[in-house]
């Protein structure tokens, strides 16, 4: 038996659970932070889900360059846009193969039918597959794509045409996002006939750099290299393993011991020690992210502006940034980071003022000792390295103005699901931009179309919504900037959220990891990555 095969057999048997894997040159182990809710990218909105599916198993018509925000061809080699900006014709890449797995053997290569299946399932609630496996597509609807895509048509096997109801200035960028990953229509038909449509979310099939092998919740996900990947020499490891652990200190111990080669979200307190380790690299970059508090305006007393204003000005942001981010965070004032074009620098925070906050609560008629729930994430995210500590500090801040906050948490997938259902009062959440366009913040997080999805405040302001929709439908950037700035002022005045911080992103890895790129969108991709000695 070959050396690598022996190592892989031992890994599979669990006999190398605590032994270094750096000698297994063809196996890259990624210490990830949480279990994905599933493997159908269209259903989800978090990086945990996308890392395990969209970035490994799937491709999209367009894609972002690795480590950057520029859009480049993906499964579409090229595209044309009509003069009115409402019709996009995509020329599909010929000869791309879907994965062959234990549960699916494709009989043809990728073509227009796969694009039609992918988007028609999201567009049509009466689509046969969607009726067999009822689900929602929150990103697709949050961005209003369900309303704006009038039709998707097959021109021929290698050409597809999208017709829009109105101009969408970010349409090409949107199609490069994880939720738009292309599914196999042939595989879907097989599942439909077998009465197993839900398997599309547990046994994924794509055209991406890695082939799904198996998943053990809260333990590991295993992938193998796609030897038929359409980009020659782009997949440089034979096996990819996600070793799942929600504890940052355990992840760092495993990295130091060589049990994994790449990890994420180190605790700020661990940064200096990691930087000094001679066996590790610690690349970093300013985070294109935002950690914030979302107030559920459909719950009393958060339906009152004075209450939201009071809670907002009672938050000691500087203390939180010092304790939670420990030098790796910048004060957030606005609903998106200052590196996003159209950011309005004239917007300022109200001063930290517990005394004034107390007066506002009295004016709103709130009794001393009013109880609320404050939800805290169970996992680290790029925008929040320690949600538990942040929640405890907020609990103390709000106690000073007579508000009793009970801290609540759930497993990550359940946390997001329940929050989208509106069960929370106030919650800690955040966002890492994922297409470089302002709408990805101002529309996806705070727009009316996103109330059932990523708009965790459930806030819908008609004037704000009118401004962001007009901006999205305008191709002239100067006009878009003007509209987005007006919208940002309304967002600040109405206080559906309290922005806390933008964090610096650190990506610890072993020194033998070659050509890993930090994504501005807080995703982790392993194609193009290799392991040296």
């Amino acid at each position: 038996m070959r050396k690598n095969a022996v190592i892989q057999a031992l890994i599979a048997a669990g006999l190398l659970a605590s032994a270094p894997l750096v000698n297994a040159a063809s196996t890259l182990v990624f210490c990830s932070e949480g279990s994905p809710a599933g493997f159908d990218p269209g259903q989800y909105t978090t990086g945990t889900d996308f890392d395990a599916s969209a970035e490994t198993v799937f491709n999209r018509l367009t894609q972002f360059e690795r480590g950057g925000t520029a859009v480049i061809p993906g499964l579409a080699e090229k595209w044309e846009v009509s003069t009115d900006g409402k019709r996009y014709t995509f020329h599909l890449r010929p000869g791309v193969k879907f994965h062959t797995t234990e549960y699916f053997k494709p009989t043809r290569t990728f073509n227009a039918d796969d694009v039609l299946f992918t988007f028609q399932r999201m567009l049509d609630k009466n689509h046969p597959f969607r009726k067999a496996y009822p689900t929602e597509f929150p990103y697709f609807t949050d961005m209003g794509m369900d309303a704006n895509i009038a039709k998707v048509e097959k021109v021929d096997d290698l050409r597809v045409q999208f017709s829009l109801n109105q101009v969408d200035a970010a349409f090409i960028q949107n199609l490069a996002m994880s939720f738009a990953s292309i599914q196999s229509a042939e595989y879907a038909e097989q599942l439909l006939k077998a009465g197993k449509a839900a398997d599309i979310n547990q046994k994924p099939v794509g055209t991406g750099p890695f082939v799904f092998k198996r998943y053990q919740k809260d333990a590991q996900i295993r992938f193998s290299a796609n030897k038929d990947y359409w980009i020659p020499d782009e997949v440089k490891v034979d096996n990819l393993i996600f070793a799942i652990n929600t504890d940052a200190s355990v992840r760092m111990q495993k990295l130091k011991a060589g049990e994994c080669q790449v990890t994420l979200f180190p605790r700020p307190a661990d940064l200096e020690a990691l930087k000094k380790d001679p066996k590790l690299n610690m690349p970093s970059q300013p985070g294109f992210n935002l950690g914030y508090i979302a107030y559920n305006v459909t719950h009393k007393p958060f339906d009152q502006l004075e209450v939201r204003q009071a809670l907002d000005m009672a938050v000691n942001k500087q203390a939180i940034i010092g304790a939670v981010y420990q030098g790796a965070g910048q004060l957030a004032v606005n609903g998106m980071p200052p590196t996003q074009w159209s950011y309005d620098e004239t917007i300022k925070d109200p001063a930290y003022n517990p005394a004034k906050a107390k007066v506002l609560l009295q004016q709103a008629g709130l009794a001393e000792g009013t109880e609320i729930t404050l939800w805290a994430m169970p996992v680290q995210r790029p925008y929040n390295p320690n949600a538990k500590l942040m929640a405890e500090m907020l609990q103390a801040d709000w106690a000073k103005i007579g508000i009793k906050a009970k801290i609540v948490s759930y497993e990550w997938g359940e946390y997001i699901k329940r929050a989208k259902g509106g069960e929370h009062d106030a919650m800690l959440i955040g966002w890492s931009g994922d297409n470089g366009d302002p709408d990805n913040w101002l529309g996806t997080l705070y727009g009316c179309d996103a109330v059932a999805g990523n708009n965790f405040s459930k806030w819908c302001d008609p004037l704000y919504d009118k401004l962001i929709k007009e901006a999205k439908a305008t191709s002239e950037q100067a006009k878009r900037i003007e509209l987005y700035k007006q919208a940002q002022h309304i967002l600040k005045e109405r206080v559906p959220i309290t922005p806390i911080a933008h964090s610096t992103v650190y990506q610890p890895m072993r020194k033998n990891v070659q050509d890993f790129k930090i994504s501005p969108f807080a995703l982790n991709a392993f194609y193009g990555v290799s392991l040296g000695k």
Side-chain angles (χ1 to χ4, degrees):
M1 191 181 283
R2 291 181 297 110
K3 180 182 178 183
N4 280 349
V6 172
I7 291 169
Q8 290 158 26
L10 289 171
I11 293 168
L15 298 178
L16 287 185
S18 60
L21 290 170
V22 291
N23 292 327
S26 65
T27 298
L28 191 154
V29 182
F30 170 52
C31 281
S32 64
E33 86 293 3
S35 295
F39 295 89
D40 176 5
Q43 292 191 45
Y44 303 110
T45 60
T46 77
T48 304
D49 301 305
F50 294 152
D51 283 352
S53 58
E55 294 301 306
T56 48
V57 177
F58 293 96
N59 294 121
R60 290 148 290 285
L61 291 177
T62 61
Q63 61 189 39
F64 295 108
E65 63 178 1
R66 203 159 57 91
T69 60
V71 177
I72 59 176
L75 292 178
E77 289 185 308
K78 60 180 180 178
W79 51 88
E80 293 111 25
V81 186
S82 62
T83 52
D84 66 358
K86 294 182 181 180
R87 191 169 63 255
Y88 291 75
T89 304
F90 292 91
H91 298 254
L92 307 182
R93 194 175 297 277
V96 174
K97 296 179 180 179
F98 278 98
H99 300 159
T100 295
T101 70
E102 294 175 359
Y103 45 88
F104 178 64
K105 307 287 188 291
T107 65
R108 62 166 177 79
T109 55
F110 159 73
N111 67 26
D113 292 333
D114 304 305
V115 180
L116 262 62
F117 167 75
T118 297
F119 287 93
Q120 286 175 344
R121 179 173 70 121
M122 293 193 282
L123 281 166
D124 182 7
K125 291 190 175 182
N126 292 315
H127 189 280
F129 194 92
R130 187 162 173 182
K131 291 183 80 172
Y133 176 42
T135 186
E136 296 301 319
F137 301 96
Y139 236 135
F140 189 70
T141 53
D142 287 2
M143 296 168 71
M145 294 182 80
D146 56 330
N148 197 32
I149 296 176
K151 56 186 175 180
V152 186
E153 298 172 289
K154 175 180 177 179
V155 179
D156 55 40
D157 276 355
L158 291 176
R159 281 189 297 166
V160 173
Q161 194 169 89
F162 286 73
S163 297
L164 307 183
N165 289 316
Q166 61 181 19
V167 173
D168 180 350
F171 189 65
I172 293 296
Q173 290 98 312
N174 293 345
L175 293 186
M177 292 166 61
S178 299
F179 78 90
S181 295
I182 301 298
Q183 299 275 0
S184 164
E186 186 183 13
Y187 178 48
E189 185 63 27
Q190 174 184 303
L191 293 177
L192 204 55
K193 287 179 179 176
K196 296 181 178 180
D199 277 3
I200 201 168
N201 193 31
Q202 300 302 321
K203 298 178 178 179
V205 169
T207 59
F210 295 95
V211 181
F212 176 83
K213 303 303 283 186
R214 62 180 178 272
Y215 169 46
Q216 183 181 354
K217 189 175 181 181
D218 298 330
Q220 66 171 225
I221 316 169
R222 297 183 67 86
F223 306 92
S224 63
N226 178 6
K227 300 298 185 184
D228 294 318
Y229 193 48
W230 52 273
I231 305 178
D233 304 318
E234 189 75 353
V235 187
K236 299 181 179 181
V237 292
D238 292 327
N239 298 285
L240 175 63
I241 300 172
F242 281 34
I244 301 166
N245 198 297
T246 58
D247 189 322
S249 61
V250 172
R251 292 197 302 272
M252 300 313 137
Q253 289 166 14
K254 287 179 175 287
L255 182 73
K256 287 181 176 182
E259 292 176 39
C260 57
Q261 286 79 47
V262 182
T263 189
L264 71 178
F265 310 153
R267 297 182 308 175
D270 293 336
L271 292 176
E272 284 309 309
L274 290 168
K275 288 175 183 176
K276 291 175 183 176
D277 192 315
K279 295 180 181 178
L280 303 181
N281 281 331
M282 276 283 286
S284 66
Q285 64 185 35
F288 190 50
N289 59 41
L290 169 67
Y292 62 94
I293 308 164
Y295 304 114
N296 186 347
V297 301
T298 68
H299 284 198
K300 291 184 179 299
F302 302 95
D303 56 333
Q304 297 182 69
L305 175 61
E306 294 87 352
V307 172
R308 301 195 301 272
Q309 288 173 327
L311 292 171
D312 180 75
M313 68 177 62
V315 174
N316 190 339
K317 289 188 185 181
Q318 291 294 355
I320 288 174
I321 291 169
V324 175
Y325 295 86
Q326 297 184 24
Q330 299 82 47
L331 177 74
V333 173
N334 210 335
M336 58 187 186
T339 48
Q340 173 65 67
W341 63 266
S342 81
Y343 181 91
D344 192 331
E345 295 181 354
T346 67
I347 291 174
K348 305 298 179 188
D349 256 351
Y352 169 60
N353 193 334
K356 185 177 178 183
K358 245 187 159 176
V359 172
L360 282 172
L361 291 181
Q362 290 168 358
Q363 290 174 352
L366 239 64
E368 180 90 15
T370 295
E371 296 183 359
I372 64 169
T373 60
L374 171 61
W375 288 26
M377 300 170 299
V379 297
Q380 285 179 288
R381 301 303 305 151
Y383 47 75
N384 191 332
N386 192 337
K388 182 176 182 292
L389 175 58
M390 187 183 291
E392 289 168 351
M393 295 182 75
L394 288 170
Q395 186 182 49
D397 283 344
W398 290 343
K400 292 173 184 174
I401 61 169
I403 297 291
K404 287 186 178 179
K406 178 187 175 184
I407 297 172
V408 175
S409 193
Y410 296 96
E411 180 272 329
W412 181 231
E414 191 71 10
Y415 184 87
I416 294 295
K417 180 182 176 183
R418 287 173 176 264
K420 285 182 178 176
E423 295 183 23
H424 60 291
D425 287 338
M427 71 180 289
L428 296 180
I429 194 64
W431 194 251
S432 294
D434 48 16
N435 74 2
D437 193 87
D439 181 71
N440 186 238
W441 301 90
L442 301 180
T444 302
L445 301 183
Y446 321 117
C448 294
D449 289 340
V451 162
N454 289 310
N455 182 344
F456 293 106
S457 300
K458 311 299 176 187
W459 175 72
C460 176
D461 184 284
L463 179 55
Y464 173 89
D465 215 55
K466 180 176 181 291
L467 288 166
I468 61 167
K469 283 182 173 171
E470 187 179 343
K472 187 180 178 183
T474 303
S475 55
E476 184 189 338
Q477 191 174 59
K479 179 65 174 173
R480 296 188 76 199
I481 290 172
E482 179 188 330
L483 293 166
Y484 282 134
K485 284 188 173 183
Q486 291 178 47
Q488 288 168 68
H489 280 274
I490 295 172
L491 181 70
K492 192 66 179 176
E493 290 161 7
R494 301 304 297 173
V495 204
I497 65 164
T498 291
I500 301 290
H502 312 290
S503 72
T504 302
V505 175
Y506 290 89
Q507 191 95 40
M509 63 187 71
R510 304 286 297 185
K511 280 198 170 171
N512 65 328
V513 176
Q514 298 177 352
D515 207 27
F516 182 94
K517 307 280 189 185
I518 297 179
S519 164
F521 307 132
L523 298 173
N524 293 278
F526 296 96
Y527 62 93
V529 179
S530 61
L531 295 175
K533 292 184 180 180

